[in-house]
Amino acid sequence: GEPPAGRDAMTPYLLDVNLLLALSDPMHVHHDAAHRWFAEKGSQAWATCPMTENAFVRIASHPKYPNRPGDVPVVLAMLRRFCGAAGHQFWTEDISLRDVLPPDAVLAHAQITDVYLLALAVHKGAKLASLDQHIPAAAVPGGADALELIAP
């Protein structure tokens, strides 16, 4: 059944790296879609974790990032400002991939981070918000219900 009206509004969303990049980069192809979703749904209760924060700083400060805002201190300052906004939660990563995936899990190396972040969201009773339409949600028990796909 559907949750009671208004209940879903407080479901926290873990923002994946691509969503963080789309929100912060005005030239990102999904910048407008990301901002629309964040304003309508995500901004009330949203989260980052060490993995998403580290990857955001690493990618956005990379010399080859197309619309690079600056070096590490500049990107770190952007992240600090963004995470200072209302609704933000910082999550520790308190589960292991060893416990999340069954021994016979068949995943490509490029799917490991997405699957882990989805499992972390399930573990926290939340949802993973992503622009990535190819996350194998079925790899995580409860993953299909915990994946918030943002239409590009």
Side-chain angles (χ1 to χ4, degrees):
E2 291 295 313
R7 181 168 167 214
D8 200 44
M10 287 315 292
T11 298
Y13 294 97
L14 176 61
L15 277 50
D16 78 358
V17 181
N18 289 325
L19 183 52
L20 288 171
L21 290 166
L23 286 166
S24 69
D25 180 355
M27 301 303 290
H28 193 285
V29 65
H30 300 306
H31 182 73
D32 292 342
H35 272 275
R36 253 191 321 276
W37 174 85
F38 192 71
E40 290 169 11
K41 236 177 161 175
S43 62
Q44 291 187 13
W46 59 283
T48 57
C49 66
M51 196 176 289
T52 58
E53 290 189 4
N54 295 356
F56 172 77
V57 173
R58 179 177 57 83
I59 294 167
S61 66
H62 193 285
K64 291 190 173 147
Y65 184 76
N67 194 34
R68 182 178 188 246
D71 55 12
V72 169
V74 172
V75 176
L76 200 49
M78 287 172 56
L79 181 66
R80 283 192 175 106
R81 274 194 310 276
F82 187 50
C83 292
H88 177 256
Q89 304 169 13
F90 178 78
W91 292 353
T92 57
E93 294 169 0
D94 55 350
I95 56 171
S96 170
L97 196 61
R98 299 181 317 266
D99 302 323
V100 168
L101 293 178
D104 59 347
V106 180
L107 294 170
H109 69 277
Q111 298 172 314
I112 297 299
T113 300
D114 293 330
V115 166
Y116 178 81
L117 292 173
L118 181 58
L120 183 62
V122 169
H123 176 68
K124 302 281 188 185
K127 289 187 173 192
L128 175 64
S130 181
L131 294 154
D132 184 349
Q133 308 293 312
H134 303 290
I135 296 174
V140 176
D145 291 334
L147 184 58
E148 172 84 6
L149 289 178
I150 298 162

XYZ file of all heavy atoms in Angstrom, residues 66-115:
384
model
N 35.004 18.995 -17.006
C 34.674 20.025 -18.012
C 34.386 21.426 -17.462
O 34.832 22.400 -18.026
C 33.433 19.460 -18.710
C 33.461 17.996 -18.441
C 34.184 17.796 -17.138
N 33.630 21.539 -16.397
C 33.301 22.867 -15.865
C 33.883 23.001 -14.466
O 33.211 23.399 -13.526
C 31.781 23.072 -15.847
C 31.403 24.528 -15.622
O 32.100 25.423 -16.069
N 30.317 24.761 -14.935
N 35.154 22.667 -14.345
C 35.844 22.622 -13.055
C 35.740 23.964 -12.322
O 36.168 24.993 -12.845
C 37.313 22.287 -13.315
C 38.145 22.158 -12.070
C 39.564 21.787 -12.486
N 40.387 21.469 -11.332
C 41.433 22.210 -10.965
N 41.782 23.281 -11.642
N 42.134 21.845 -9.908
N 35.154 23.951 -11.114
C 35.021 25.204 -10.363
C 36.343 25.674 -9.769
O 36.497 26.848 -9.462
C 34.025 24.857 -9.255
C 34.050 23.377 -9.133
C 34.508 22.824 -10.449
N 37.299 24.750 -9.606
C 38.581 25.112 -9.017
C 39.260 23.892 -8.437
O 38.829 22.765 -8.656
N 40.323 24.148 -7.673
C 41.066 23.046 -7.084
C 40.366 22.555 -5.811
O 39.273 23.012 -5.465
C 42.524 23.454 -6.822
C 42.621 24.707 -5.970
O 41.596 25.142 -5.389
O 43.726 25.267 -5.866
N 41.013 21.639 -5.103
C 40.374 20.976 -3.956
C 39.819 21.965 -2.923
O 38.666 21.825 -2.509
C 41.337 19.940 -3.312
C 40.795 19.441 -1.980
C 41.567 18.775 -4.269
N 40.581 22.996 -2.492
C 39.990 23.906 -1.488
C 38.713 24.597 -1.962
O 37.781 24.793 -1.179
C 41.106 24.925 -1.231
C 42.369 24.227 -1.611
C 41.998 23.301 -2.740
N 38.639 24.930 -3.239
C 37.445 25.589 -3.792
C 36.258 24.626 -3.766
O 35.155 24.983 -3.333
C 37.717 26.087 -5.233
C 36.433 26.582 -5.889
C 38.776 27.180 -5.225
N 36.481 23.393 -4.209
C 35.398 22.405 -4.253
C 34.972 22.016 -2.838
O 33.785 21.861 -2.557
C 35.824 21.168 -5.079
C 34.750 20.093 -5.047
C 36.113 21.584 -6.526
N 35.932 21.901 -1.941
C 35.624 21.586 -0.548
C 34.770 22.695 0.074
O 33.810 22.422 0.810
C 36.928 21.405 0.231
C 36.883 20.645 1.540
C 36.157 19.324 1.408
C 38.304 20.420 2.047
N 35.077 23.943 -0.245
C 34.275 25.070 0.251
C 32.846 24.999 -0.299
O 31.883 25.260 0.426
C 34.932 26.398 -0.130
N 32.706 24.613 -1.578
C 31.373 24.439 -2.166
C 30.597 23.359 -1.415
O 29.425 23.539 -1.087
C 31.478 24.013 -3.643
C 31.911 25.089 -4.592
S 32.217 24.403 -6.262
C 30.672 23.606 -6.634
N 31.275 22.237 -1.145
C 30.641 21.123 -0.438
C 30.222 21.553 0.966
O 29.116 21.234 1.412
C 31.588 19.921 -0.379
C 31.040 18.672 0.312
C 29.871 18.082 -0.468
C 32.145 17.634 0.482
N 31.088 22.290 1.649
C 30.745 22.769 2.999
C 29.510 23.666 2.974
O 28.633 23.547 3.829
C 31.929 23.524 3.604
C 33.014 22.618 4.103
C 34.036 23.395 4.965
N 34.988 22.451 5.523
C 36.248 22.324 5.097
N 36.692 23.096 4.123
N 37.042 21.443 5.651
N 29.448 24.577 1.994
C 28.281 25.470 1.870
C 27.017 24.653 1.608
O 25.986 24.854 2.245
C 28.487 26.480 0.742
C 29.230 27.727 1.150
C 29.128 28.844 0.113
N 29.454 28.425 -1.245
C 30.702 28.363 -1.739
N 31.742 28.669 -0.991
N 30.911 27.984 -2.987
N 27.116 23.727 0.658
C 25.955 22.930 0.283
C 25.457 22.106 1.465
O 24.258 22.071 1.757
C 26.314 22.028 -0.910
C 25.143 21.281 -1.492
C 23.959 21.935 -1.816
C 25.223 19.923 -1.742
C 22.880 21.252 -2.353
C 24.145 19.224 -2.289
C 22.970 19.893 -2.592
N 26.382 21.463 2.177
C 25.997 20.617 3.312
C 25.566 21.438 4.528
O 25.031 20.882 5.482
C 27.134 19.659 3.668
S 27.408 18.417 2.389
N 25.770 22.738 4.482
C 25.274 23.624 5.530
C 23.814 23.978 5.341
O 23.205 24.609 6.205
N 23.237 23.564 4.213
C 21.841 23.886 3.907
C 20.899 23.061 4.782
O 21.251 21.985 5.273
C 21.551 23.621 2.433
N 19.699 23.579 4.949
C 18.666 22.902 5.740
C 18.400 21.516 5.183
O 18.487 21.289 3.976
C 17.385 23.726 5.720
N 18.078 20.598 6.078
C 17.687 19.260 5.663
C 18.836 18.283 5.523
O 18.608 17.095 5.362
N 20.085 18.764 5.577
C 21.230 17.871 5.360
C 21.513 16.986 6.567
O 21.426 17.419 7.703
C 22.497 18.664 5.028
C 23.701 17.786 4.864
N 24.677 17.678 5.821
C 24.060 16.954 3.862
C 25.599 16.820 5.407
N 25.248 16.370 4.215
N 21.850 15.735 6.270
C 22.314 14.780 7.267
C 23.621 14.193 6.763
O 23.776 13.989 5.558
C 21.315 13.625 7.431
C 19.906 14.051 7.780
C 18.916 12.881 7.649
O 19.287 11.721 7.534
N 17.632 13.222 7.659
N 24.555 13.935 7.670
C 25.772 13.227 7.298
C 25.672 11.818 7.859
O 25.454 11.636 9.052
C 27.024 13.924 7.844
C 28.283 13.175 7.510
C 28.823 13.256 6.237
C 28.900 12.371 8.450
C 29.970 12.553 5.906
C 30.056 11.658 8.128
C 30.589 11.753 6.856
N 25.802 10.843 6.984
C 25.700 9.453 7.390
C 27.074 8.816 7.460
O 27.885 8.987 6.552
C 24.896 8.638 6.386
C 23.448 8.964 6.305
C 22.732 9.810 7.102
C 22.532 8.446 5.351
N 21.433 9.833 6.710
C 21.275 8.999 5.618
C 22.652 7.559 4.290
C 20.154 8.701 4.879
C 21.534 7.256 3.544
C 20.292 7.822 3.845
N 27.314 8.051 8.499
C 28.502 7.212 8.526
C 28.206 5.972 7.687
O 27.042 5.612 7.482
C 28.856 6.794 9.963
O 27.733 6.133 10.534
C 29.229 7.999 10.806
N 29.246 5.359 7.203
C 29.097 4.127 6.432
C 29.325 2.963 7.395
O 30.458 2.567 7.629
C 30.080 4.117 5.266
C 29.753 5.214 4.254
C 30.824 5.428 3.206
O 31.864 4.733 3.221
O 30.626 6.301 2.360
N 28.237 2.484 7.966
C 28.338 1.512 9.049
C 27.878 0.111 8.666
O 27.478 -0.677 9.504
C 27.578 2.016 10.278
C 26.125 2.359 9.968
O 25.747 2.397 8.781
O 25.365 2.591 10.918
N 27.935 -0.174 7.372
C 27.682 -1.532 6.905
C 28.819 -1.914 5.960
O 29.492 -1.038 5.410
C 26.321 -1.681 6.180
C 26.208 -0.700 5.015
C 25.171 -1.512 7.156
C 25.003 -0.924 4.118
N 29.008 -3.203 5.789
C 30.064 -3.702 4.911
C 29.471 -4.327 3.663
O 28.415 -4.976 3.720
C 30.900 -4.752 5.643
O 31.771 -5.398 4.731
N 30.163 -4.170 2.560
C 29.780 -4.827 1.320
C 29.696 -6.342 1.524
O 28.861 -7.010 0.931
C 30.823 -4.494 0.239
C 30.462 -4.755 -1.209
C 29.252 -3.921 -1.611
C 31.644 -4.428 -2.100
N 30.525 -6.865 2.419
C 30.521 -8.305 2.721
C 29.163 -8.754 3.252
O 28.749 -9.888 3.025
C 31.596 -8.648 3.763
C 33.004 -8.334 3.328
C 34.001 -8.735 4.409
N 33.595 -8.387 5.764
C 33.954 -7.268 6.402
N 34.736 -6.387 5.803
N 33.547 -7.023 7.630
N 28.500 -7.868 3.980
C 27.205 -8.201 4.579
C 26.039 -7.881 3.660
O 24.945 -8.400 3.834
C 27.021 -7.444 5.896
C 28.137 -7.757 6.880
O 28.583 -8.918 6.922
O 28.571 -6.829 7.592
N 26.277 -7.013 2.697
C 25.215 -6.521 1.824
C 24.957 -7.463 0.658
O 23.820 -7.741 0.307
C 25.610 -5.121 1.285
C 24.701 -4.699 0.164
C 25.605 -4.103 2.410
N 26.033 -7.955 0.062
C 25.894 -8.766 -1.148
C 25.932 -10.257 -0.828
O 26.770 -10.696 -0.047
C 27.025 -8.445 -2.128
C 26.998 -7.053 -2.736
C 28.199 -6.865 -3.657
C 25.709 -6.813 -3.505
N 25.057 -11.014 -1.461
C 25.140 -12.465 -1.292
C 26.429 -12.978 -1.949
O 26.962 -12.337 -2.847
C 23.896 -12.984 -2.026
C 23.483 -11.893 -2.947
C 23.963 -10.610 -2.344
N 26.917 -14.134 -1.485
C 28.183 -14.664 -2.025
C 28.160 -14.872 -3.538
O 29.191 -14.797 -4.181
C 28.340 -16.011 -1.306
C 27.467 -15.930 -0.108
C 26.369 -14.966 -0.426
N 26.980 -15.113 -4.101
C 26.888 -15.391 -5.536
C 26.470 -14.160 -6.359
O 26.030 -14.296 -7.495
C 25.908 -16.542 -5.775
C 24.518 -16.231 -5.239
O 24.353 -15.248 -4.479
O 23.580 -16.987 -5.570
N 26.596 -12.969 -5.782
C 26.204 -11.749 -6.497
C 27.013 -11.600 -7.784
O 28.223 -11.746 -7.785
C 26.423 -10.525 -5.609
N 26.318 -11.338 -8.879
C 26.985 -11.139 -10.168
C 26.839 -9.670 -10.539
O 25.781 -9.222 -10.966
C 26.361 -12.038 -11.268
C 27.069 -11.810 -12.600
C 26.431 -13.497 -10.853
N 27.928 -8.925 -10.327
C 27.930 -7.492 -10.610
C 29.211 -7.138 -11.339
O 30.251 -7.765 -11.137
C 27.872 -6.683 -9.310
C 26.607 -6.786 -8.473
C 26.816 -6.123 -7.124
C 25.443 -6.146 -9.200
N 29.140 -6.104 -12.131
C 30.349 -5.578 -12.767
C 31.046 -4.647 -11.778
O 30.407 -4.079 -10.880
C 29.978 -4.816 -14.039
N 32.334 -4.477 -11.960
C 33.101 -3.630 -11.036
C 32.526 -2.218 -10.949
O 32.525 -1.606 -9.899
C 34.588 -3.584 -11.457
C 34.835 -2.849 -12.723
N 34.686 -3.421 -13.965
C 35.188 -1.564 -12.933
C 34.945 -2.516 -14.900
N 35.250 -1.387 -14.298
N 31.997 -1.713 -12.047
C 31.474 -0.346 -12.081
C 30.169 -0.200 -11.295
O 29.719 0.918 -11.055
C 31.266 0.100 -13.531
N 29.554 -1.315 -10.888
C 28.278 -1.258 -10.173
C 28.444 -1.309 -8.657
O 27.486 -1.066 -7.932
C 27.391 -2.431 -10.608
C 27.032 -2.403 -12.082
C 26.314 -3.670 -12.506
O 26.721 -4.776 -12.166
N 25.236 -3.508 -13.249
N 29.638 -1.593 -8.175
C 29.856 -1.821 -6.749
C 29.486 -0.607 -5.902
O 28.777 -0.722 -4.909
C 31.317 -2.254 -6.470
C 31.609 -3.600 -7.159
C 31.600 -2.326 -4.976
C 30.761 -4.755 -6.698
N 29.959 0.570 -6.290
C 29.672 1.769 -5.492
C 28.174 2.057 -5.459
O 27.616 2.330 -4.393
C 30.454 2.976 -6.030
O 31.853 2.681 -5.949
C 30.162 4.236 -5.224
N 27.517 2.000 -6.610
C 26.069 2.262 -6.656
C 25.298 1.279 -5.786
O 24.388 1.670 -5.049
C 25.552 2.154 -8.101
C 26.089 3.243 -9.006
O 26.365 4.355 -8.506
O 26.215 2.991 -10.214
N 25.655 0.010 -5.874
C 24.965 -1.009 -5.091
C 25.213 -0.790 -3.594
O 24.306 -0.919 -2.776
C 25.387 -2.429 -5.551
C 24.953 -3.489 -4.556
C 24.803 -2.717 -6.922
